[in-house]
Amino acid sequence: SGIAIRAIAKSLKRIGRGMKRVEEGDLDYKVEPDSNDEVGDLAIYFNRMSAEIKRSRQIMENWNKELEKTVAERTRDLQTLYNMSKAMGSTLYVEELLNKSLNYIPKAGGSESVAILLADAEGDLKVRAFRNFPGDLALKRDEGIIGTSISTEQIVKTADISEGSDKEKASLKPFNIKTLLL
């Protein structure tokens, strides 16, 4: 029985050293089972536990990276909105307000092209301020993707301008605009 006790104690010490290594962060450390009894099973369970801890830790690290990325994006968005709000509140002149908007809308929308359309007295939509966009574009309400978006006051995103009216397609083609967010 003394030999058996020493063998079990030796195996348990190896598992104990393995636990210490895992506690110190070495999640790749493995304890080789040296028997087919309960102590050998304990070594196998230890290795599985260590692998599961490593897997869980990797998942948490990935979540943290994604969370940090999302927080950084939201912080940039909030800063842009704050700057935009501050700039918008600094004037009551429509033309100046529209031109200031051109500095912030592309950042907020992630686009190089932007246009601000306003309705005239007849209700037709005309471009009043723009960047990398056809300044002469004029539309009727409910005409094409742009007019429908404005008249329904709905956010519309289209990945393919071919869904637009002939007038929209012809106007946007020279600017290589294929996707719209309205």
Side-chain angles (χ1 to χ4, degrees):
S1 71
I3 294 172
I5 290 172
R6 280 194 296 275
I8 291 170
K10 183 178 173 186
S11 293
L12 290 176
K13 282 184 181 180
R14 284 184 329 103
I15 293 172
R17 283 192 300 271
M19 293 173 110
K20 180 79 171 155
R21 298 267 306 259
V22 168
E23 180 184 34
E24 293 170 351
D26 184 2
L27 298 176
D28 291 321
Y29 186 79
K30 301 286 183 232
V31 175
E32 294 298 324
D34 57 0
S35 63
N36 290 330
D37 59 6
E38 290 83 1
V39 177
D41 290 344
L42 185 60
I44 292 169
Y45 295 142
F46 168 80
N47 291 336
R48 286 182 188 159
M49 178 197 67
S50 180
E52 185 59 28
I53 291 171
K54 182 178 180 178
R55 189 181 75 77
S56 296
R57 184 184 222 176
Q58 187 61 47
I59 289 170
M60 292 300 292
E61 286 174 1
N62 289 341
W63 282 348
N64 282 339
K65 287 177 187 174
E66 285 298 316
L67 182 59
E68 288 172 4
K69 181 180 170 186
T70 301
V71 167
E73 288 171 358
R74 296 300 171 258
T75 302
R76 280 192 304 273
D77 292 347
L78 286 173
Q79 185 64 48
T80 299
L81 290 173
Y82 170 76
N83 291 340
M84 188 175 182
S85 172
K86 198 166 111 180
M88 298 302 126
S90 69
T91 184
L92 296 176
Y93 298 104
V94 173
E95 293 303 319
E96 188 177 340
L97 181 63
L98 294 175
N99 287 324
K100 283 185 176 188
S101 297
L102 293 176
N103 293 326
Y104 295 102
I105 292 173
K107 290 177 192 170
S111 174
E112 295 175 14
S113 301
V114 65
I116 301 172
L117 289 86
L118 297 177
D120 62 14
E122 292 80 41
D124 294 338
L125 304 168
K126 297 199 184 322
V127 175
R128 289 286 300 271
F130 61 95
R131 180 177 293 153
N132 298 323
F133 198 87
D136 60 348
L137 181 64
L139 300 170
K140 304 264 186 228
R141 286 190 181 271
D142 298 321
E143 180 180 276
I145 299 170
I146 299 171
T148 301
S149 172
I150 292 172
S151 66
T152 61
E153 297 182 4
Q154 296 293 313
I155 295 173
V156 174
K157 181 178 181 186
T158 178
D160 187 359
I161 190 59
S162 67
E163 300 168 19
S165 70
D166 291 339
K167 190 176 197 177
E168 287 172 324
K169 289 188 277 191
S171 297
L172 300 176
K173 186 176 181 178
F175 294 89
N176 201 26
I177 295 173
K178 297 176 182 156
T179 302
L180 292 175
L181 175 63
L182 310 159

